[in-house]
Amino acid sequence: MKEDEAATLESTAIAVNGIVVITNKANTIESLTLDQVRQIFTGEVTEWEEVQ
């Protein structure tokens, strides 16, 4: 990721280890809850339609 790209991002601390959620610009999701991120990373949720 380029420095100017990183400057346009919003970050929220959710863990001791670094976790970054990056999506395609065409993705219409504007925000995710911590629980939704957990569900995505554990495979409980596998389709974007499930978090909209």
Side-chain angles (χ1 to χ4, degrees), residues 29-45:
I29 300 292
E30 292 189 21
S31 65
L32 295 169
T33 66
L34 296 179
D35 192 49
Q36 288 170 319
V37 172
R38 180 195 57 77
Q39 291 172 336
I40 291 167
F41 277 89
T42 61
E44 189 176 333
V45 168

Side-chain angles (χ1 to χ4, degrees), residues 16-51:
V16 175
N17 295 329
I19 296 174
V20 177
V21 179
I22 299 174
T23 63
N24 186 291
K25 287 182 181 182
N27 190 319
T28 58
I29 300 292
E30 292 189 21
S31 65
L32 295 169
T33 66
L34 296 179
D35 192 49
Q36 288 170 319
V37 172
R38 180 195 57 77
Q39 291 172 336
I40 291 167
F41 277 89
T42 61
E44 189 176 333
V45 168
T46 58
E47 300 291 331
W48 284 116
E49 292 78 17
E50 296 178 62
V51 294

